[in-house]
Amino acid sequence: MSLNMGYAALLPEIALLAAAVLVLLGGSFLPRNRQVLTRWFSVAALVVSAAAGMAGVAGVPESIFSGTYALDTSTAVVRIVAPLATLVVVLIGRHEFIGSVRESETYALLLLATLGTVVIGGTIDLLVLVAGYLLASIPLYALIGLSRSGPAAEATLKTYLIGALFGVLLMAGVTLLTGLASTSSYEDMSEALSTAPVVAVAGGAVAVLIGLTFKAGAVPGHFWIPDASQASGIAVAAFVTTVPKIGALIALGRLIEIMPDSVDVPLLVAILAVVSMTVGNLAALAQKNVRRLLGWSTVSQVGYLLMPLAVITTSDGASAALLVYIGLYALTNLAIFAVVACFPHREELDDWAGVARAHPWLTGTLIVSALSLVGTPPTAVFIGKVAVFTVAWDGGMPWLVVAAAVNSVLSLVYYLRLFRPAFRPPAPVTAPADDDAPEASRGVKATAVILGAAVLSAGAAVAGIWLATLA
């Protein structure tokens, strides 16, 4: 066990925490028309955090603080992707946040939730995992309710109740595993659990894994995702469907690796993967509200993200496939929500009639992002799906690959429904006149188009790097 107390190594986390506190305090003294300063301070803090995370990529893997926190590739990815994803959320939420009565508090909550996500992904200690879970969850409840509408209040209450239930389940599992192993550190837990009673270990492992499905948005902890996506603000919806997944999936990977062979955790994860992608796809087929459809889409996408976790102990490339898919999925999901943020008054699919003629670049981004989520070449998520399909096959789960392929074909139906109305002629009665609305700013549109171009180019870039490493 390392006793390294590397405070300097926690610069990405410290930057987020310090910024959250300063933004909260600064916002208490700044007048309403100067609250925008907290926005730019938050953006700077997110850039600093991500840059500090990048600086640690080349470091030698180690653990710090008595083996409670890992400095490895997975931690580096969550340190980079989570702050950058939150940065995009702040940019596309410009008109949603600026001038609101809770502007500085919104940025503070986003920073704290991002910090919780990073902690969940980086920790290798069950007690720290619980702390990170709470830190990442509590700001979400407030963020979802910020729009102060009836549906938002309902979604907040639903998210809170589900989060509390799965949080209790997680803590019960942590208590059981810690008691059985006489330690909460992953480094010492694996060997201790191999000699513990199988039934007790299985109970603890299942409780912890199921508890984390709330943060990952996977079945059975997924019920809050569609309601939160539909009822919260668009930028907040982009955040809750993207950032929490990053840390939770990496945490799941770390836990599965230390579970003894006496408990078939990989099979449980594989079943959850199939159920998540199937439930998400079938539910999305019936949706007419754009954001609710995207909410169910994220439930299905987490099913694919669980595939490498099911073979993480039997396939050498599973961890790399997971990290690649996480990054490419985050980019694509934020791109599609950025397009939605350009048309905040077009809630239903039919409201998008005429968008293709008036906004061809945004329509192109919408198409590229939707096809990427399907897994169509040469887009970003296509490479991610190839990677996770490959490692699942190599890891001895061909049936999981077949189920995922069938679900990919099924998802094509509702992703086509997402952008097909844009090519219909506008109906004067149903098409909202939002082209000149202040929400459709040039900055948000430019962000959406840039993200769309990144979705298109990231697939080729990652494929090139992948082929180069194989050569």
Side-chain angles (χ1 to χ4, degrees), residues 381-407:
V381 173
F382 166 72
I383 302 301
K385 284 197 174 182
V386 170
V388 299
F389 282 22
T390 302
V391 297
W393 190 279
D394 290 342
M397 289 192 177
W399 62 271
L400 181 57
V401 178
V402 173
V406 171
N407 270 281

Side-chain angles (χ1 to χ4, degrees), residues 151-384:
E154 181 182 349
T156 302
L157 181 59
K158 192 172 188 178
T159 305
Y160 171 74
L161 293 175
I162 295 174
L165 175 63
F166 281 78
V168 169
L169 195 62
L170 172 71
M171 285 185 264
V174 167
T175 303
L176 186 54
L177 291 178
T178 302
L180 290 170
S182 299
T183 178
S184 58
S185 174
Y186 295 1
E187 293 181 348
D188 304 321
M189 184 171 287
S190 181
E191 184 177 352
L193 290 180
S194 62
T195 57
V198 175
V199 175
V201 173
V206 169
V208 173
L209 296 177
I210 297 298
L212 282 175
T213 60
F214 169 75
K215 300 303 303 174
V219 173
H222 68 290
F223 289 105
W224 64 280
I225 293 280
D227 291 312
S229 180
Q230 181 180 1
S232 62
I234 296 173
V236 172
F239 182 85
V240 301
T241 57
T242 305
V243 177
K245 282 181 171 53
I246 301 169
L249 289 163
I250 291 176
L252 280 168
R254 295 188 190 278
L255 283 164
I256 294 168
E257 286 183 305
I258 65 165
M259 287 297 124
D261 296 337
S262 55
V263 181
D264 200 351
V265 174
L267 178 61
L268 171 64
V269 175
I271 293 173
L272 290 178
V274 174
V275 175
S276 294
M277 61 181 76
T278 304
V279 168
N281 285 333
L282 291 177
L285 287 173
Q287 305 305 318
K288 295 182 180 179
N289 182 278
V290 175
R291 280 192 278 160
R292 194 170 185 84
L293 186 152
L294 292 176
W296 281 112
S297 163
T298 65
V299 175
S300 71
Q301 287 294 325
V302 79
Y304 302 103
L305 286 160
L306 288 173
M307 290 176 65
L309 297 181
V311 294
I312 200 165
T313 57
T314 55
S315 177
D316 294 335
S319 294
L322 171 67
L323 298 178
V324 168
Y325 201 142
I326 284 177
L328 298 177
Y329 164 76
L331 172 64
T332 304
N333 196 55
L334 290 172
I336 206 165
F337 269 100
V339 176
V340 175
C342 295
F343 307 103
H345 303 299
R346 298 180 188 263
E347 294 282 348
E348 304 294 322
L349 291 173
D350 291 338
D351 294 338
W352 286 64
V355 168
R357 174 173 295 183
H359 306 280
W361 288 100
L362 292 174
T363 306
T365 299
L366 181 66
I367 294 172
V368 167
S369 303
L371 292 179
S372 179
L373 291 175
V374 175
T376 306
T379 55
V381 173
F382 166 72
I383 302 301

